[in-house]
Amino acid sequence: MSNISEQIAELVAEISGEDEVLDERDLDLFEEEILDSMAAIELLVAIKSEFGVSIAPTELDREEMNTVNKIIERVSERM
């Protein structure tokens, strides 16, 4: 699973342009303005492309995917 974790953290870093998410995986991505709504949708598209896991933007509350660790959990649950 750590490989998936690394890949997801790298996707978030790539989309947001913020490398700090690689080390600080419990940062609130929206509160810290690392992701906005458009970047979040871009991330969901990238997750579907990379892992074949489809998560609709309306499917989860923001609080369920607001950190890298929570994103890793949601993707892992669906694999």
Side-chain angles (χ1 to χ4, degrees):
M1 166 136 130
S2 65
N3 190 27
I4 293 166
S5 300
E6 293 299 318
Q7 287 177 290
I8 291 172
E10 287 172 14
L11 274 178
V12 175
E14 183 181 314
I15 288 168
S16 68
E18 298 288 340
D19 288 340
E20 67 186 310
V21 300
L22 297 172
D23 297 318
E24 298 183 50
R25 294 186 179 178
D26 286 315
L27 279 176
D28 188 312
L29 301 171
F30 298 102
E31 199 172 280
E32 299 293 325
E33 298 181 354
I34 294 169
L35 287 183
D36 60 16
S37 297
M38 288 304 293
I41 299 217
E42 187 179 341
L43 178 62
L44 293 177
V45 170
I47 287 170
K48 178 154 176 56
S49 175
E50 281 290 314
F51 304 103
V53 173
S54 182
I55 303 171
T58 56
E59 197 174 327
L60 298 169
D61 291 331
R62 185 176 270 191
E63 294 76 35
E64 294 178 89
M65 285 192 70
N66 62 345
T67 70
V68 172
N69 281 332
K70 288 181 184 177
I71 295 167
I72 291 166
E73 283 178 45
R74 299 293 87 78
V75 172
S76 296
E77 289 168 358
R78 294 160 188 261
M79 290 186 81

